[in-house]
Structures are given as structure tokens and as C-alpha cells.
């Protein structure tokens, strides 16, 4: 079973991280990323989940060679799933968690281009704002449904992380800024290796994975979303005790 779980977020660089981690001599990846065991595939059972991770033989071989062994699950949908935190904590209470957070405006916009929306980005956002204003946040099912399916909802990071901090200590969770991860990849990777208590290692291949290209966002749209996300970002900065300065 994994020692490390990358729990989020969508369109932030998690696919790249999945490929980078296993370049370290002490780390072996799962068969593929986005296993989704703790959310949509939970019904398939623990043996199904175990089948995607290295064998005991492989683990012993790596430990003999490097003295340490780590395997991992990268599923960026876990972060906003209402049952995932408890499920992971019950099975793997000592696991380490990584979250990559991207400017919520850019994350929304990138996510939009992966969908088959007939409406413009601006119309989608306007409609989601109306829905958010009507939702009772104390109604867990209703709020989860919004977060799970919407551009804006998936970018409300503080609300999502609060559920994890209720179960996991802050020293079990590493928060990474996506923009730094993209530019200073080896520096951030070594911060991750240090978090995992592994030897420093410069990965040989830090090429970006799963990139998509799209038109530049309209300035007035960005200005509007900057204002919208500002209070949510402040709440996030306070929670994680880091300021990502996304407003500038």
C-alpha cells in the first residue's frame, strides 16, 4: 500500500509529479495515476487497490539497494471528495500527503478547456456563482455536489483542506505552489524528497506532462475572478500559513 498519496488538485501538475517521483532510486510508482480507490473505485475492494503497487519482492530489493522504499498514489480528485479523508485515515493513518495548488483562476480556466462546454467560460462562471450563492454550505451532500462538478468549486482550496486537517497533522501534509513547481522543478522535487525523508536527488527528466494550450483569458474576466477568489485565498493562506500572492 502507498506510503504517499498526492491528493490534489486537478490541472496543477499532478501528472508531471506522478512521472517525476519514480525517478528517485528509492521510489516505485503505482501502475498508473488517478487510481481513484478512495473515491469512485472504493467499491472494488482493497485487493483491487493493492494490485497496482509493487510486490514485497520489489520492496525488499529496493530497500537492499537504497535502504528506503516508497510507493505512491496520485489521484487529484481525492481532495474534494467528502469520504476520501476518512477512508485514507482509517487505512493509512501515518501516510504522507502532497497537495499541489495552482492559482485558482488559472486552474479553473485550464479545467474549462478539458470539458465539452457549449457555453463560454464567462457564462459558465457566472452561472456557477449564482449556484454557489444559493447553496447551503452546511448541507454536505449539496455542497459536495457543487464542488465535485464545478470549475469554481474545485478551486475553493481552504474548504477542501479543512477536512484533511481535521484528521491528519500538518506535518503529514506538504503544500506545493504549482507555479514554483513548474519553474523550479528540481528544487521542489528535493523539498518533496526531504519531506519523505529520502536522500536528495536531481531527476534527469523534468519535462512537463499533460500540457494543453489555449487562448489567453480576457482581462476583465481575470479581474473579476481575482476579486471573487480574494477572500477564499486569504482563508487558504491563513490555514496553510503560506502566502502564495496570487492576487498580484
Amino acid at each position: 500500500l502507498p506510503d504517499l498519496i498526492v491528493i490534489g488538485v486537478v490541472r496543477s501538475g499532478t501528472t508531471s509529479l506522478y512521472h517525476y517521483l519514480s525517478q528517485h532510486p528509492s521510489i516505485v510508482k503505482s501502475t498508473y495515476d488517478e487510481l481513484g480507490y478512495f473515491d469512485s473505485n472504493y467499491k472494488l475492494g482493497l485487493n483491487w487497490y493493492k494490485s497496482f503497487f509493487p510486490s514485497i519482492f520489489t520492496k525488499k530489493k529496493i530497500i537492499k539497494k537504497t535502504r528506503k522504499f516508497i510507493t505512491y498514489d496520485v489521484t487529484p480528485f481525492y481532495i474534494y471528495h467528502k469520504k476520501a479523508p476518512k477512508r485514507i485515515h482509517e487505512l493509512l493513518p501515518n501516510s504522507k500527503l502532497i497537495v499541489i495548488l495552482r492559482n485558482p483562476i488559472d486552474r479553473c480556466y485550464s479545467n474549462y478547456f478539458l470539458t465539452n462546454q457549449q457555453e463560454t467560460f464567462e457564462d459558465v462562471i457566472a452561472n456557477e456563482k449564482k449556484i454557489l450563492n444559493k447553496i447551503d454550505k452546511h448541507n454536505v451532500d449539496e455542497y459536495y455536489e457543487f464542488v465535485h462538478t464545478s470549475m469554481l468549486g474545485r478551486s475553493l482550496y481552504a474548504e477542501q483542506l479543512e477536512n484533511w486537517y481535521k484528521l491528519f497533522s500538518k506535518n503529514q501534509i506538504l503544500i506545493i505552489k504549482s507555479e514554483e513547481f513548474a519553474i523550479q522543478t528540481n528544487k521542489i522535487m528535493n523539498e518533496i524528497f526531504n519531506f519523505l525523508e529520502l536522500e536528495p536527488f536531481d531527476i534527469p527528466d523534468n519535462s512537463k506532462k499533460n500540457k494543453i494550450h489555449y487562448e489567453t483569458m480576457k482581462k476583465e474576466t481575470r479581474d473579476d475572478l481575482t476579486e471573487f477568489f480574494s477572500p477564499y485565498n486569504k482563508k487558504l493562506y491563513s490555514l496553510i500559513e503560506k502566502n502564495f500572492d496570487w492576487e498580484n
Side-chain angles (χ1 to χ4, degrees):
L1 288 171
D3 315 271
L4 166 68
I5 304 178
V6 180
I7 61 172
V9 299
V10 175
R11 302 307 304 160
S12 66
T14 57
T15 302
S16 292
L17 183 57
Y18 170 77
H19 290 281
Y20 297 164
L21 281 165
S22 62
Q23 295 181 48
H24 191 286
S26 296
I27 304 179
V28 182
K29 64 185 176 183
S30 56
T31 308
Y32 58 86
D33 63 340
E34 300 187 5
L35 296 174
Y37 172 64
F38 294 103
D39 54 16
S40 55
N41 291 323
Y42 197 65
K43 60 185 177 295
L44 297 177
L46 189 57
N47 286 335
W48 175 87
Y49 188 49
K50 284 181 176 180
S51 70
F52 297 103
F53 296 101
S55 64
I56 295 295
F57 174 78
T58 300
K59 180 176 181 178
K60 288 180 178 178
K61 185 179 176 183
I62 297 293
I63 289 175
K64 186 175 181 181
K65 190 175 181 180
T66 71
R67 293 183 295 175
K68 293 259 191 173
F69 171 85
I70 284 176
T71 187
Y72 58 95
D73 173 358
V74 175
T75 303
F77 308 100
Y78 287 157
I79 190 168
Y80 54 74
H81 192 278
K82 62 182 176 181
K83 294 182 180 179
K86 186 178 179 182
R87 287 171 174 173
I88 292 174
H89 189 262
E90 286 177 348
L91 182 65
L92 304 164
N94 300 316
S95 60
K96 294 197 172 184
L97 310 175
I98 291 178
V99 186
I100 310 180
L101 298 180
R102 183 179 183 182
N103 184 318
I105 300 172
D106 298 320
R107 199 221 63 78
C108 280
Y109 198 51
S110 180
N111 206 164
Y112 168 79
F113 286 98
L114 287 186
T115 64
N116 294 316
Q117 296 281 355
Q118 300 302 312
E119 299 176 284
T120 66
F121 178 68
E122 287 73 20
D123 286 342
V124 170
I125 294 303
N127 186 52
E128 290 187 358
K129 281 184 183 180
K130 291 176 184 175
I131 296 171
L132 182 60
N133 287 333
K134 293 177 182 176
I135 282 178
D136 176 8
K137 287 191 177 183
H138 298 291
N139 184 326
V140 177
D141 291 329
E142 186 180 14
Y143 188 61
Y144 162 71
E145 183 62 26
F146 172 76
V147 169
H148 190 76
T149 58
S150 78
M151 308 295 166
L152 289 180
R154 290 183 178 186
S155 290
L156 304 181
Y157 304 139
E159 279 81 353
Q160 297 161 31
L161 281 171
E162 282 174 339
N163 296 324
W164 296 87
Y165 283 134
K166 288 173 185 174
L167 295 171
F168 295 89
S169 65
K170 285 196 173 183
N171 62 15
Q172 284 179 269
I173 305 175
L174 179 65
I175 308 290
I176 295 169
K177 184 179 181 181
S178 177
E179 293 80 5
E180 289 182 357
F181 179 53
I183 297 170
Q184 299 178 292
T185 303
N186 267 314
K187 175 179 176 288
I188 299 300
M189 288 306 300
N190 273 297
E191 287 181 12
I192 291 171
F193 297 145
N194 182 61
F195 171 66
L196 298 174
E197 300 175 31
L198 298 176
E199 292 293 319
F201 183 79
D202 286 340
I203 60 171
D205 177 13
N206 61 8
S207 57
K208 305 298 179 279
K209 314 295 181 184
N210 204 21
K211 285 185 71 175
I212 59 174
H213 299 279
Y214 40 81
E215 61 199 53
T216 304
M217 188 187 303
K218 295 175 182 176
K219 182 182 183 302
E220 55 269 30
T221 304
R222 179 170 286 278
D223 290 344
D224 175 63
L225 286 174
T226 298
E227 183 179 351
F228 171 82
F229 279 116
S230 180
Y232 293 101
N233 289 344
K234 286 176 183 175
K235 185 178 180 181
L236 172 70
Y237 302 156
S238 176
L239 179 67
I240 67 175
E241 299 172 352
K242 286 184 180 182
N243 188 338
F244 287 160
D245 200 27
W246 282 325
E247 294 70 37
N248 298 313

